[in-house]
């Protein structure tokens, strides 16, 4: 799969996470780490999920 396609898919997963009214910590970790592995920048992950940048960094273990 091409990089742009992977980033697009990961960004859609993050939009789904943001729409979840009560996500669990496991769900947050899964989607955030998936997006990071697919090459989405941390700033973009924070923007799409509504999570603070430092929390995103902690979730992916950076």
């Amino acid at each position: 799969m091409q990089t742009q396609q992977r980033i697009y898919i990961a960004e859609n997963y993050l939009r789904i996470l943001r729409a979840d009214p009560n996500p669990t910590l496991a769900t947050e970790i899964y989607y955030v780490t998936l997006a990071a592995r697919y090459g989405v920048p941390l700033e973009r992950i924070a923007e799409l999920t509504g999570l603070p940048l430092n929390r995103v960094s902690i979730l992916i273990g950076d």
Side-chain angles (χ1 to χ4, degrees), residues 23-31:
T24 64
L25 180 59
T27 305
E28 281 185 358
I29 292 170
Y30 176 77
Y31 284 122

Side-chain angles (χ1 to χ4, degrees), residues 32 42 45-46 49 51-62:
V32 168
L42 295 183
I45 294 172
T49 59
L51 297 171
L53 185 56
N54 63 341
R55 180 167 172 91
V56 170
S57 181
I58 291 168
L59 288 173
I60 65 164
D62 189 28

Side-chain angles (χ1 to χ4, degrees), residues 37-54:
R37 259 187 277 155
Y38 276 19
V40 180
L42 295 183
E43 293 81 12
R44 183 76 174 142
I45 294 172
E47 177 185 333
L48 290 172
T49 59
L51 297 171
L53 185 56
N54 63 341

